Every structure is written in C-alpha cells, then in structure tokens.
Amino acid sequence: MVALKKEIEMGFISSLYKNKKDQAIEVGGTYHHIGDYNTIETARVISIKDDLTGIPHVRFMVTVDGETSHTGFEEVRTLGTVSFNEKYSAAY
C-alpha cells in the first residue's frame, strides 16, 4: 500500500514537471523563478528566435527583487527554450 501511494505521488509530481517543461513560451509573456534567499526573478519575453544551428532561444528582460544586496536590478538575458522552461514558470 505504501509503495502504491509513493508511485501515485511520484506520477503526480512528474506530471507537474512535464507540464512546466513543456509550457508554451509566448512573446510578451511573464514568467517567474524563486531563487536563493527568496529572491524573485520576473522574466518578460522579448523574442524567441533560432540560432544558427536551429536551436530556439528566448531573449528576455529579467527583474530580480528580494531582500539581499544582489537584487533590485534589470537586465536582458538569453536562454535556450529548454533551459528557460526548466527555470521559469508561467505567471498566473
């Protein structure tokens, strides 16, 4: 019975991860990541383009807020779409 419960829980957790990993990324969309020391990264997608080898990349403006000295700034970043999906979740 305990093994079945654990299998069900892991299936549920896996489905959440898969949904996040496969989320659609939209230009103009807003996404969040909660980092170390409760810093909150807010990413606003500027563009999505393929590089010279055909790998899609996301260009986005990130704002980092929190209570540490390394917050309160904005900068433009670029990540592959897979890496972006692994790090950021859609803001609802």
Side-chain angles (χ1 to χ4, degrees):
M1 186 66 156
V2 173
L4 178 60
K5 183 179 179 185
K6 185 171 183 170
E7 185 176 324
I8 291 170
E9 288 174 359
M10 291 306 293
F12 175 71
I13 292 168
S14 296
S15 71
L16 290 176
Y17 179 74
K18 183 175 187 219
N19 290 340
K20 178 181 173 188
K21 189 174 180 183
D22 294 340
Q23 73 183 340
I25 303 169
E26 298 179 10
V27 173
T30 303
Y31 302 84
H32 293 293
H33 170 73
I34 298 175
D36 296 336
Y37 308 105
N38 292 324
T39 57
I40 300 171
E41 293 184 23
T42 302
R44 186 180 48 81
V45 177
I46 299 168
S47 65
I48 303 170
K49 294 184 180 180
D50 292 349
D51 67 9
L52 296 176
T53 61
I55 298 170
H57 284 74
V58 180
R59 183 174 164 88
F60 58 99
M61 174 66 74
V62 66
T63 304
V64 181
D65 292 307
E67 298 179 7
T68 69
S69 61
H70 300 294
T71 62
F73 66 90
E74 290 185 334
E75 65 183 14
V76 175
R77 294 182 183 171
T78 302
L79 283 175
T81 55
V82 172
S83 297
F84 186 87
N85 272 334
E86 288 174 351
K87 182 166 186 172
Y88 294 96
S89 297
Y92 294 103

